[in-house]
């Protein structure tokens, strides 16, 4: 009787163990699906935020391009007469540059999957534009003048082209970052002395 009882206990224990193992495996599977879905949802939200930030950059950049056009058209040889206009134009450009910088900093480009390298290069490109704008602001403040060299004027024109290109791309039904990068390649080479090196690194990867 004791032998039979022990056998029944062992059989029940095996059944219980198998049942528990099955429950644990099912729980682990369900949890894995939950985590996976949660991660996918997080990535999707991050990607949507990146596109929203890019749309904001396009709108702000378009406005900045308008004010930069106003700025470069003011006759610098009559700077004293047009000082208020120069100041107001550049004040807007500098403020918009700060806004663009905040949108760029909020981007999570590595959540863009296989498009992450393109997004990373775009983020770098627009940061370099911001660096140039900040550099010009510092120069104007230091010199107490808005006079620019021919090279600086060419770079301002290139900034206008970059911002306009971003705005034009975001107006399209389907945004293509690779196409956008191609459209800003030439003006970026004018703006950033190190852009050719950045392109080389991207191509090598």
């Amino acid at each position: 009787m004791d032998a039979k009882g022990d056998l029944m206990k062992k059989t029940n224990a095996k059944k219980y163990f198998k049942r528990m193992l099955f429950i644990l495996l099912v729980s682990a599977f369900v949890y894995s699906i939950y985590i996976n879905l949660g991660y996918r949802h997080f990535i999707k939200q991050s990607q949507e935020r990146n596109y929203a930030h890019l749309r904001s950059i396009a709108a702000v950049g378009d406005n900045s391009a308008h004010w930069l056009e106003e700025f470069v058209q003011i006759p610098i040889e009559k700077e004293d007469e047009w000082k208020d206009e120069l100041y107001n134009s550049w004040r807007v450009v500098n403020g918009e540059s700060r806004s663009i910088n905040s949108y760029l900093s909020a981007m999570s480009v590595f959540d863009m999957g296989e498009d992450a390298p393109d997004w990373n290069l775009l983020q770098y490109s627009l940061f370099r534009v911001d660096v140039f704008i900040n550099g010009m602001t510092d120069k104007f403040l230091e010199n107490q003048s808005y006079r620019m060299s021919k090279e600086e004027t060419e770079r301002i024109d290139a900034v206008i082209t970059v911002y306009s290109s971003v705005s034009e791309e975001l107006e399209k039904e389907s945004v293509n970052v690779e196409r956008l990068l191609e459209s800003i390649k030439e003006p970026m080479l004018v703006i950033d002395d190190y852009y050719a090196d950045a392109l080389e690194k991207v191509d090598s990867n």
Side-chain angles (χ1 to χ4, degrees):
M1 190 73 180
D2 290 339
K4 286 184 178 180
D6 289 342
L7 184 60
M8 285 184 67
K9 283 181 181 178
K10 286 181 180 178
T11 303
N12 289 336
K14 284 183 179 179
K15 287 181 179 178
Y16 177 76
F17 177 74
K18 286 180 179 178
R19 191 179 296 118
M20 287 302 296
L21 183 60
F22 176 74
I23 291 170
L24 285 171
L25 288 172
V26 170
S27 299
F29 179 69
V30 171
Y31 181 73
S32 175
I33 290 175
Y34 173 78
I35 292 296
N36 191 261
L37 289 174
Y39 178 71
R40 285 185 182 181
H41 179 66
F42 169 80
I43 292 296
K44 185 179 179 183
Q45 282 189 321
S46 180
Q47 290 175 347
E48 288 173 352
R49 281 195 298 271
N50 286 340
Y51 277 106
H53 292 322
L54 189 55
R55 283 193 292 272
S56 297
I57 289 169
V60 175
D62 188 54
N63 187 50
S64 186
H66 165 74
W67 284 98
L68 282 170
E69 286 173 346
E70 294 282 325
F71 182 82
V72 295
Q73 286 173 11
I74 295 171
I76 198 63
E77 63 274 7
K78 298 180 181 178
E79 182 179 3
D80 291 338
E81 297 175 34
W82 293 84
K83 205 143 197 172
D84 288 343
E85 287 79 3
L86 287 164
Y87 170 80
N88 289 329
S89 295
W90 195 261
R91 180 178 59 83
V92 174
V93 169
N94 190 46
E96 299 293 52
S97 181
R98 290 179 182 177
S99 296
I100 289 173
N101 185 284
S102 67
Y103 289 124
L104 287 171
S105 299
M107 282 184 170
S108 301
V109 296
F110 294 108
D111 291 335
M112 300 308 292
E114 60 182 18
D115 294 329
D118 286 340
W119 279 82
N120 190 33
L121 180 58
L122 178 62
Q123 185 186 48
Y124 168 82
S125 303
L126 296 176
F127 267 133
R128 295 304 296 171
V129 173
D130 181 60
V131 167
F132 170 68
I133 295 293
N134 287 334
M136 292 304 296
T137 299
D138 292 342
K139 178 192 172 179
F140 294 152
L141 288 171
E142 185 180 345
N143 295 343
Q144 293 296 298
S145 170
Y146 292 98
R147 290 184 179 274
M148 297 183 293
S149 66
K150 182 182 177 183
E151 181 183 351
E152 288 166 340
T153 302
E154 289 173 353
R155 291 187 176 188
I156 291 285
D157 289 336
V159 170
I160 294 170
T161 302
V162 168
Y163 283 154
S164 298
S165 296
V166 174
S167 179
E168 288 169 12
E169 181 62 37
L170 269 291
E171 287 175 0
K172 293 173 182 173
E173 189 173 337
S174 178
V175 177
N176 187 313
V177 174
E178 186 178 1
R179 180 174 60 208
L180 173 56
L181 285 170
E182 189 59 36
S183 70
I184 67 172
K185 178 180 175 181
E186 292 305 320
M188 282 306 307
L189 288 168
V190 174
I191 297 165
D192 181 17
D193 293 332
Y194 304 103
Y195 201 68
D197 294 335
L199 292 176
E200 215 172 283
K201 287 180 182 178
V202 170
D203 290 340
S204 65
N205 294 333

